[in-house]
Amino acid sequence: MSGLRLTNAGLAWLLAALVVATAALTPLLGVPVYGRNFGHDANFALTALHWMDSGIAAGRWWPRWVPETHWGLGGYTFYTYPPLAYWAAALLKRLSGLSVADTLALAVMLWRLGFLLGCYLWLRRHVAPAVALAAAALAALLPYAAVINPWMRFAHAELAGSAMLPFLLIAIERAAEHRDGRGLPGLALGFAALALTHLPTTALVAHVAPLYAWAYAGPRAALRTVAGGAAGAGLAACYLLPAAGLLRQANFEGLDDGTWERSLLGWSALRGTITWVQFILTVWIASALTVTAAVFFRWQAPAVSPLRRGSMLLLLAAAALMTVVSLPLWLLLPQLRSIEFPWRAAGLLTPALAGLAALALAAGGAWARRGVLALGLLGAALAPLYLLAVTQFGNPGWPRFLPAEERLARALSSPRGASPEHLPATAVAAGWRSLFDGTETSTGPEPHPRPVPPPGTTPLPAGFLVPEATVTFALPQFHFPGWQARDAAGQILPVRARADGFLEVVVDHPARGIRIEAGVTPWEWAGWAITGLSAAGLLGLGLWWRPRRAAAAALHGAG
C-alpha cells in the first residue's frame, strides 16, 4: 500500500465491509455442530427457537413451560431463560419463511450487524461519522464479538444482548446529559430489554453501568443510571419475578457450584482448575485489549473527554472482573456468581476499546489509522482462520455443518439440546440428571419408567385432557409449581410431585373432563402487576415532562 493515503472514510468503509463479510459466514455455512471448541451452545439455541416457535403456533406466545423438551418430559425453559432473543428469531422465521436452523443462522448475522449499527450511533454522538463507523467496525471484528460468541460458543442470546449494549450506553449518556428525569424512560427500556434478553450480561452491566455514568458525567449521572436500572427491573418484572420466585423449585447450576472459580483468571489458574484453552483465551483477550487501549489513551486520545473517561473506566472495570483482582466481589456478591463465567466481561471490553479507538482516530494521527487497520484486518482474518482450523484439524468423528432439517433433528435428539439447568429440582432429586451423561447423539438411561396416563388422555398445547378418572394418576411430565388441574365441573384437583419426579393428580372422587395445564403462577401475576405499574409510571413521567419541555422551548424562542 505504498503511496496510498488511508483516510478515515476509506478505513471505515473497508472495515465495515469486512464486518459484513465475516458476519455473512454464518448464514452461508449454517449452524455448526458441537465439537471441540465449536458451536458449544448451538444445540440449545436450535431447540429453544424450535420450542418457542412451536409454542407461538399453538397460541402460547410465551411458552414458559415447554412440554416437549427433555425428550417429552417437559421443562421450565422460559421461566428462567429470557425470551426476547427467541421472540425476535421466531418473528424472523415467520417473516422469512426459513427453517429453524436457517433462521437462527440469519439471526446471528443480524445481531452482529445490529451491534455494528449500535456502536456507530453511540460513537456518532462524539466523533465524525467516518470515525464512528471505523471504530464501530473495529469493535465488531474483535475476537469476542467475531469468533468466540458466534463460532466457538454460538451464543445466540448473548449476541443479542451484546447488540443492545451500545444502545444502552446511548441511553445512559442521554440521561446523564439532562439535569432532570427526561432520560429515565429510555434508560429503563434499555435495561428492561437487556434483562429480557440475557441475564449474565445484565448482571455485569448492572455493576459497571453506574461506573461508566459516573466517569462520563459525575455522581448524579451514576444515581440516575441506578434509578433507570431499578425502573428497568420493574418493567421486566413479568420475567424477573417468576424467575427469582421459583428459584428454589428450579435446578440452577452456576451460583455456588464453583463454575466461576474455574474461569476467574489468576485464582483458578493457581488452583489448577482451569483448562489451558480458557487460560490462554482469557489472557489473550484481556491483555490485547487493555494494552491497545492504553496505547490509544496515552498517545492519541484528547486530554479531556467524557467518552475517554467513561471508556477507560469501563475497560478497567471489565478487565478487573475477569481476574483475581475482583475476587472479593465474586465471594461477596451472589449476583456476580450467577454470571458463571467471568470471561463474559470481555463483552464489555469491546465497546470500551471502540470508544478509545474513535478518540484516537478523531485526533487525526496516521499512526492511529494504521493501528486500527491492523487490528481490524487481524480480527477479520481470525474467523475464517479459526473455521479452517477446526474443520480441517478437528475431531474427524463429528460433522462440521449439516443441512438445516438434519441439523435441527440432531439438536432435538442431543443431550446438549435440552439444558439440565431446566430440569425441576424434584426431577434432579429423582435422578433425572443422568439423562445428560450421554454423548452428543445419545443420552443416558432413564432412571424411572414413564407413567402411563389414563385411557383416552389427549395432549393440549400446554397440558393434557383426561376424559375421566376415579383414582389418583400420574402423567409423563415433570412436576413444577405452574401445573394446575380442574375437572369439567370447575372443581380444582390437587397436584403434587411423585418420588420419581413426575406430575401426579390427586383424585378422591369420580371426575370427568379433567384439564391439566401449565397455568399462571402467583409469581407471574405479581410480576405482570409490577410491569404494568412500572410502565404506567414511566409513561406518566414522559407525559408530565412533555408540556414542560414545550414551555421551556417557547421561553427560549421568545428570548
Side-chain angles (χ1 to χ4, degrees):
M1 297 179 63
S2 176
L4 181 62
R5 182 172 177 268
L6 182 66
T7 64
N8 284 339
L11 176 65
W13 288 112
L14 173 61
L15 294 184
L18 290 174
V19 172
V20 174
T22 56
L25 286 174
T26 307
L28 287 175
L29 297 176
V31 181
V33 178
Y34 170 77
R36 185 173 179 81
N37 295 322
F38 196 43
H40 189 273
D41 295 328
N43 282 346
F44 173 75
L46 282 165
T47 58
L49 176 55
H50 175 69
W51 301 135
M52 174 64 81
D53 182 64
S54 299
I56 293 174
R60 295 176 292 141
W61 68 275
W62 192 346
R64 291 185 185 263
W65 178 265
V66 180
E68 305 91 345
T69 191
H70 296 127
W71 304 279
L73 297 178
Y76 59 88
T77 301
F78 291 111
Y79 273 106
T80 56
Y81 202 90
L84 188 55
Y86 291 97
W87 277 338
L91 176 62
L92 178 63
K93 179 179 181 298
R94 292 171 181 276
L95 292 175
S96 65
L98 296 172
S99 66
V100 168
D102 288 340
T103 297
L104 191 61
L106 179 61
V108 165
M109 183 192 79
L110 293 177
W111 290 124
R112 293 181 63 184
L113 297 181
F115 175 71
L116 171 68
L117 174 63
C119 282
Y120 168 75
L121 294 175
W122 165 50
L123 296 172
R124 179 63 187 87
R125 306 182 78 246
H126 304 280
V127 294
V131 171
L133 181 59
L138 174 64
L141 291 170
L142 289 173
Y144 197 73
V147 179
I148 295 170
N149 269 348
W151 292 112
M152 292 185 71
R153 300 179 59 222
F154 203 81
H156 172 246
E158 188 166 342
L159 280 166
S162 297
M164 296 178 184
L165 284 179
F167 295 98
L168 184 60
L169 290 173
I170 294 174
I172 291 173
E173 292 178 0
R174 288 173 61 89
E177 289 160 1
H178 292 296
R179 294 189 176 183
D180 48 44
R182 278 180 287 171
L184 188 61
L187 191 53
L189 284 172
F191 275 112
L194 188 60
L196 286 166
T197 302
H198 194 247
L199 275 183
T201 301
T202 306
L204 282 168
V205 169
H207 289 83
V208 301
L211 297 178
Y212 179 85
W214 176 76
Y216 187 84
R220 183 171 294 180
L223 291 176
R224 291 197 191 109
T225 300
V226 172
L235 283 179
C238 57
Y239 160 70
L240 292 174
L241 195 60
L246 297 171
L247 202 58
R248 289 176 179 242
Q249 289 81 25
N251 168 42
F252 184 71
E253 298 179 342
L255 190 61
D256 289 308
D257 64 355
T259 302
W260 66 271
E261 289 186 44
R262 294 189 291 272
S263 301
L264 191 63
L265 181 60
W267 171 256
S268 52
L270 291 174
R271 298 181 63 179
T273 57
I274 191 171
T275 67
W276 277 108
V277 172
Q278 291 173 312
F279 181 80
I280 293 172
L281 183 64
T282 310
V283 171
W284 175 41
I285 295 171
S287 61
L289 296 189
T290 304
V291 170
T292 304
V295 171
F296 282 146
F297 166 66
R298 173 64 179 83
W299 285 296
Q300 296 294 327
V304 179
S305 167
L307 180 62
R308 187 205 70 180
R309 293 194 303 266
S311 296
M312 280 302 300
L313 189 54
L314 178 62
L315 184 141
L316 293 174
L321 284 173
M322 299 168 66
T323 68
V324 72
V325 173
S326 59
L327 178 60
L329 294 177
W330 288 93
L331 292 172
L332 292 173
L333 301 177
Q335 66 270 29
L336 267 185
R337 297 197 294 276
S338 68
I339 294 168
E340 294 188 77
F341 307 114
W343 43 257
R344 277 182 162 137
L348 300 179
L349 290 173
T350 302
L353 181 59
L356 295 169
L359 293 173
L361 290 172
W367 182 93
R369 286 194 291 273
R370 295 191 189 103
V372 171
L373 175 63
L375 284 173
L377 291 175
L378 176 61
L382 283 176
L385 287 175
Y386 171 75
L387 294 174
L388 180 65
V390 294
T391 52
Q392 295 301 314
F393 305 108
N395 187 329
W398 48 266
R400 277 69 174 182
F401 303 96
L402 290 173
E405 296 304 323
E406 187 177 346
R407 184 66 189 89
L408 177 60
R410 186 183 181 98
L412 292 173
S413 65
S414 168
R416 293 184 174 273
S419 173
E421 294 186 0
H422 302 151
L423 279 172
T426 51
V428 173
W432 287 96
R433 183 65 175 78
S434 63
L435 282 173
F436 299 87
D437 294 336
T439 63
E440 163 67 3
T441 55
S442 65
T443 63
E446 294 191 356
H448 306 283
R450 302 188 181 200
V452 179
T457 298
T458 56
L460 298 173
F464 300 88
L465 177 62
V466 178
E468 60 179 346
T470 57
V471 296
T472 297
F473 61 90
L475 294 166
Q477 286 278 289
F478 292 132
H479 175 267
F480 200 63
W483 283 110
Q484 302 166 5
R486 188 186 300 269
D487 63 19
Q491 185 172 352
I492 295 175
L493 303 178
V495 295
R496 63 192 181 194
R498 290 202 327 186
D500 54 11
F502 288 118
L503 168 67
E504 187 172 70
V505 180
V506 179
V507 179
D508 56 5
H509 66 280
R512 294 181 179 275
I514 305 172
R515 296 179 67 92
I516 305 101
E517 296 179 297
V520 180
T521 66
W523 289 108
E524 291 172 75
W525 287 119
W528 279 112
I530 295 174
T531 292
L533 290 173
S534 300
L538 289 170
L539 179 62
L541 182 64
L543 294 175
W544 183 65
W545 276 112
R546 177 174 293 182
R548 293 174 65 91
R549 289 197 299 270
L555 181 62
H556 179 74

mmCIF file of all heavy atoms in Angstrom, residues 71-92:
data_model
loop_
_atom_site.group_PDB
_atom_site.id
_atom_site.type_symbol
_atom_site.label_atom_id
_atom_site.label_comp_id
_atom_site.label_asym_id
_atom_site.label_seq_id
_atom_site.Cartn_x
_atom_site.Cartn_y
_atom_site.Cartn_z
ATOM 1 N N TRP A 71 -36.924 -34.609 26.053
ATOM 2 C CA TRP A 71 -37.443 -35.823 25.418
ATOM 3 C C TRP A 71 -38.899 -36.087 25.786
ATOM 4 O O TRP A 71 -39.308 -37.206 26.059
ATOM 5 C CB TRP A 71 -36.546 -37.014 25.749
ATOM 6 C CG TRP A 71 -35.137 -36.742 25.340
ATOM 7 C CD1 TRP A 71 -34.614 -36.869 24.081
ATOM 8 C CD2 TRP A 71 -34.094 -36.233 26.163
ATOM 9 N NE1 TRP A 71 -33.303 -36.468 24.077
ATOM 10 C CE2 TRP A 71 -32.951 -36.079 25.347
ATOM 11 C CE3 TRP A 71 -33.997 -35.895 27.517
ATOM 12 C CZ2 TRP A 71 -31.747 -35.604 25.823
ATOM 13 C CZ3 TRP A 71 -32.790 -35.416 27.990
ATOM 14 C CH2 TRP A 71 -31.682 -35.274 27.155
ATOM 15 N N GLY A 72 -39.676 -35.007 25.800
ATOM 16 C CA GLY A 72 -41.103 -35.123 26.031
ATOM 17 C C GLY A 72 -41.530 -35.115 27.474
ATOM 18 O O GLY A 72 -42.723 -35.282 27.764
ATOM 19 N N LEU A 73 -40.612 -34.877 28.401
ATOM 20 C CA LEU A 73 -40.956 -34.878 29.830
ATOM 21 C C LEU A 73 -41.135 -33.464 30.377
ATOM 22 O O LEU A 73 -41.545 -33.299 31.521
ATOM 23 C CB LEU A 73 -39.884 -35.621 30.632
ATOM 24 C CG LEU A 73 -39.747 -37.108 30.273
ATOM 25 C CD1 LEU A 73 -38.625 -37.743 31.075
ATOM 26 C CD2 LEU A 73 -41.054 -37.841 30.519
ATOM 27 N N GLY A 74 -40.818 -32.447 29.585
ATOM 28 C CA GLY A 74 -41.092 -31.069 29.975
ATOM 29 C C GLY A 74 -39.972 -30.412 30.740
ATOM 30 O O GLY A 74 -39.110 -31.076 31.336
ATOM 31 N N GLY A 75 -40.004 -29.101 30.733
ATOM 32 C CA GLY A 75 -39.016 -28.313 31.461
ATOM 33 C C GLY A 75 -39.441 -26.859 31.531
ATOM 34 O O GLY A 75 -40.262 -26.397 30.744
ATOM 35 N N TYR A 76 -38.862 -26.129 32.466
ATOM 36 C CA TYR A 76 -39.275 -24.743 32.713
ATOM 37 C C TYR A 76 -38.378 -23.755 31.966
ATOM 38 O O TYR A 76 -38.084 -22.658 32.469
ATOM 39 C CB TYR A 76 -39.255 -24.452 34.218
ATOM 40 C CG TYR A 76 -37.908 -24.640 34.878
ATOM 41 C CD1 TYR A 76 -36.989 -23.612 34.940
ATOM 42 C CD2 TYR A 76 -37.559 -25.854 35.441
ATOM 43 C CE1 TYR A 76 -35.757 -23.776 35.539
ATOM 44 C CE2 TYR A 76 -36.342 -26.043 36.055
ATOM 45 C CZ TYR A 76 -35.436 -24.995 36.101
ATOM 46 O OH TYR A 76 -34.208 -25.171 36.687
ATOM 47 N N THR A 77 -38.006 -24.072 30.742
ATOM 48 C CA THR A 77 -37.023 -23.297 29.987
ATOM 49 C C THR A 77 -37.277 -21.795 30.054
ATOM 50 O O THR A 77 -36.412 -21.020 30.450
ATOM 51 C CB THR A 77 -37.017 -23.759 28.519
ATOM 52 O OG1 THR A 77 -36.693 -25.148 28.469
ATOM 53 C CG2 THR A 77 -35.992 -22.972 27.716
ATOM 54 N N PHE A 78 -38.458 -21.351 29.663
ATOM 55 C CA PHE A 78 -38.693 -19.912 29.567
ATOM 56 C C PHE A 78 -39.291 -19.319 30.840
ATOM 57 O O PHE A 78 -39.749 -18.173 30.830
ATOM 58 C CB PHE A 78 -39.561 -19.608 28.346
ATOM 59 C CG PHE A 78 -38.837 -19.847 27.046
ATOM 60 C CD1 PHE A 78 -39.202 -20.883 26.208
ATOM 61 C CD2 PHE A 78 -37.768 -19.054 26.683
ATOM 62 C CE1 PHE A 78 -38.527 -21.111 25.023
ATOM 63 C CE2 PHE A 78 -37.079 -19.266 25.503
ATOM 64 C CZ PHE A 78 -37.464 -20.305 24.667
ATOM 65 N N TYR A 79 -39.284 -20.070 31.925
ATOM 66 C CA TYR A 79 -39.487 -19.453 33.228
ATOM 67 C C TYR A 79 -38.223 -18.703 33.633
ATOM 68 O O TYR A 79 -38.284 -17.604 34.190
ATOM 69 C CB TYR A 79 -39.791 -20.513 34.294
ATOM 70 C CG TYR A 79 -41.242 -20.893 34.415
ATOM 71 C CD1 TYR A 79 -41.695 -22.106 33.927
ATOM 72 C CD2 TYR A 79 -42.163 -20.057 35.039
ATOM 73 C CE1 TYR A 79 -43.023 -22.491 34.042
ATOM 74 C CE2 TYR A 79 -43.495 -20.417 35.160
ATOM 75 C CZ TYR A 79 -43.918 -21.641 34.658
ATOM 76 O OH TYR A 79 -45.240 -21.998 34.773
ATOM 77 N N THR A 80 -37.070 -19.305 33.398
ATOM 78 C CA THR A 80 -35.815 -18.724 33.875
ATOM 79 C C THR A 80 -34.913 -18.250 32.741
ATOM 80 O O THR A 80 -33.955 -17.528 33.003
ATOM 81 C CB THR A 80 -35.045 -19.748 34.729
ATOM 82 O OG1 THR A 80 -34.831 -20.941 33.958
ATOM 83 C CG2 THR A 80 -35.822 -20.095 35.982
ATOM 84 N N TYR A 81 -35.181 -18.659 31.506
ATOM 85 C CA TYR A 81 -34.356 -18.208 30.383
ATOM 86 C C TYR A 81 -35.068 -17.063 29.685
ATOM 87 O O TYR A 81 -36.227 -17.202 29.286
ATOM 88 C CB TYR A 81 -34.112 -19.353 29.399
ATOM 89 C CG TYR A 81 -32.891 -19.128 28.543
ATOM 90 C CD1 TYR A 81 -31.645 -19.582 28.954
ATOM 91 C CD2 TYR A 81 -32.977 -18.430 27.342
ATOM 92 C CE1 TYR A 81 -30.517 -19.370 28.181
ATOM 93 C CE2 TYR A 81 -31.851 -18.204 26.569
ATOM 94 C CZ TYR A 81 -30.626 -18.679 26.993
ATOM 95 O OH TYR A 81 -29.504 -18.448 26.231
ATOM 96 N N PRO A 82 -34.418 -15.915 29.498
ATOM 97 C CA PRO A 82 -35.094 -14.754 28.908
ATOM 98 C C PRO A 82 -35.601 -15.041 27.497
ATOM 99 O O PRO A 82 -34.934 -15.712 26.710
ATOM 100 C CB PRO A 82 -34.000 -13.676 28.897
ATOM 101 C CG PRO A 82 -33.016 -14.112 29.927
ATOM 102 C CD PRO A 82 -33.034 -15.602 29.899
ATOM 103 N N PRO A 83 -36.769 -14.517 27.148
ATOM 104 C CA PRO A 83 -37.395 -14.893 25.866
ATOM 105 C C PRO A 83 -37.136 -13.963 24.695
ATOM 106 O O PRO A 83 -37.421 -14.322 23.553
ATOM 107 C CB PRO A 83 -38.885 -14.874 26.216
ATOM 108 C CG PRO A 83 -38.997 -13.769 27.226
ATOM 109 C CD PRO A 83 -37.717 -13.805 28.021
ATOM 110 N N LEU A 84 -36.624 -12.738 24.924
ATOM 111 C CA LEU A 84 -36.675 -11.717 23.881
ATOM 112 C C LEU A 84 -35.899 -12.104 22.626
ATOM 113 O O LEU A 84 -36.377 -11.891 21.499
ATOM 114 C CB LEU A 84 -36.139 -10.388 24.428
ATOM 115 C CG LEU A 84 -36.303 -9.162 23.523
ATOM 116 C CD1 LEU A 84 -37.751 -8.971 23.115
ATOM 117 C CD2 LEU A 84 -35.779 -7.912 24.208
ATOM 118 N N ALA A 85 -34.709 -12.683 22.772
ATOM 119 C CA ALA A 85 -33.929 -13.060 21.590
ATOM 120 C C ALA A 85 -34.664 -14.111 20.768
ATOM 121 O O ALA A 85 -34.589 -14.110 19.522
ATOM 122 C CB ALA A 85 -32.556 -13.578 22.016
ATOM 123 N N TYR A 86 -35.395 -14.986 21.443
ATOM 124 C CA TYR A 86 -36.111 -16.043 20.727
ATOM 125 C C TYR A 86 -37.453 -15.558 20.198
ATOM 126 O O TYR A 86 -37.950 -16.081 19.193
ATOM 127 C CB TYR A 86 -36.249 -17.269 21.628
ATOM 128 C CG TYR A 86 -34.896 -17.907 21.829
ATOM 129 C CD1 TYR A 86 -34.140 -17.626 22.964
ATOM 130 C CD2 TYR A 86 -34.359 -18.720 20.854
ATOM 131 C CE1 TYR A 86 -32.873 -18.174 23.114
ATOM 132 C CE2 TYR A 86 -33.101 -19.269 20.999
ATOM 133 C CZ TYR A 86 -32.355 -18.996 22.129
ATOM 134 O OH TYR A 86 -31.096 -19.520 22.270
ATOM 135 N N TRP A 87 -38.059 -14.565 20.838
ATOM 136 C CA TRP A 87 -39.223 -13.913 20.229
ATOM 137 C C TRP A 87 -38.812 -13.284 18.893
ATOM 138 O O TRP A 87 -39.498 -13.423 17.882
ATOM 139 C CB TRP A 87 -39.763 -12.821 21.148
ATOM 140 C CG TRP A 87 -40.670 -13.310 22.219
ATOM 141 C CD1 TRP A 87 -41.382 -14.476 22.239
ATOM 142 C CD2 TRP A 87 -40.964 -12.633 23.439
ATOM 143 N NE1 TRP A 87 -42.104 -14.570 23.396
ATOM 144 C CE2 TRP A 87 -41.868 -13.454 24.155
ATOM 145 C CE3 TRP A 87 -40.553 -11.440 24.005
ATOM 146 C CZ2 TRP A 87 -42.363 -13.093 25.400
ATOM 147 C CZ3 TRP A 87 -41.041 -11.074 25.244
ATOM 148 C CH2 TRP A 87 -41.949 -11.905 25.933
ATOM 149 N N ALA A 88 -37.680 -12.560 18.921
ATOM 150 C CA ALA A 88 -37.220 -11.906 17.696
ATOM 151 C C ALA A 88 -36.903 -12.924 16.614
ATOM 152 O O ALA A 88 -37.239 -12.727 15.437
ATOM 153 C CB ALA A 88 -35.984 -11.054 18.007
ATOM 154 N N ALA A 89 -36.257 -14.029 16.983
ATOM 155 C CA ALA A 89 -35.923 -15.054 15.994
ATOM 156 C C ALA A 89 -37.175 -15.732 15.458
ATOM 157 O O ALA A 89 -37.258 -16.051 14.261
ATOM 158 C CB ALA A 89 -34.981 -16.082 16.608
ATOM 159 N N ALA A 90 -38.168 -15.962 16.328
ATOM 160 C CA ALA A 90 -39.419 -16.564 15.864
ATOM 161 C C ALA A 90 -40.138 -15.640 14.887
ATOM 162 O O ALA A 90 -40.718 -16.093 13.884
ATOM 163 C CB ALA A 90 -40.316 -16.887 17.058
ATOM 164 N N LEU A 91 -40.114 -14.327 15.165
ATOM 165 C CA LEU A 91 -40.696 -13.369 14.229
ATOM 166 C C LEU A 91 -39.934 -13.386 12.906
ATOM 167 O O LEU A 91 -40.552 -13.354 11.827
ATOM 168 C CB LEU A 91 -40.668 -11.966 14.835
ATOM 169 C CG LEU A 91 -41.153 -10.823 13.932
ATOM 170 C CD1 LEU A 91 -42.615 -11.018 13.545
ATOM 171 C CD2 LEU A 91 -40.952 -9.474 14.617
ATOM 172 N N LEU A 92 -38.619 -13.452 12.970
ATOM 173 C CA LEU A 92 -37.811 -13.516 11.760
ATOM 174 C C LEU A 92 -38.140 -14.773 10.956
ATOM 175 O O LEU A 92 -38.205 -14.726 9.726
ATOM 176 C CB LEU A 92 -36.324 -13.493 12.133
ATOM 177 C CG LEU A 92 -35.330 -13.596 10.975
ATOM 178 C CD1 LEU A 92 -35.460 -12.403 10.047
ATOM 179 C CD2 LEU A 92 -33.900 -13.704 11.513
#
